[in-house]
Amino acid sequence: QVQLVESGGGLVQPGGSLRLSCTASGSYFSIADMGWYRQAPGKQRELVAKINRGRNTNYADSVKGRFTISRDYTKNIIYLQMNNLQPEDTAVYLCNAEAQTRPMPQYDDYWGQGTQVTVSS
């Protein structure tokens, strides 16, 4: 099994910055994609950013140019640097990892419990 623990959320004013971290631990053979999703009250969960083993990244259009995802491949930690935060970025941010936990070419999704990001003046 894989455990994902997020940190770094909080309350910030519009235009401010936060940095989220997510650490993967547990028993697994490998981790493929890791990423951040968010879910605001009354809205569907949406992809924010993801990064694969080839260092390729993918961002939601709404965060391009403001958010940057990075990954420490030796420690299986991902970060999300969020700049110029806006009220519409307010949500619970959840870490996701696709991990191989059995001796077969199959990857399963794992989720963290989430960290709250609130952007308000």
Side-chain angles (χ1 to χ4, degrees), residues 20-41:
L20 306 183
S21 303
C22 171
T23 302
S25 63
S27 179
Y28 52 87
F29 291 95
S30 66
I31 293 179
D33 291 8
M34 293 186 75
W36 292 96
Y37 289 72
R38 67 186 181 187
Q39 188 161 21

Side-chain angles (χ1 to χ4, degrees), residues 77-93:
I77 301 174
I78 59 169
Y79 304 95
L80 186 68
Q81 178 64 45
M82 305 185 293
N83 297 328
N84 191 22
L85 283 158
Q86 300 300 317
E88 53 266 33
D89 297 314
T90 296
V92 174
Y93 283 69

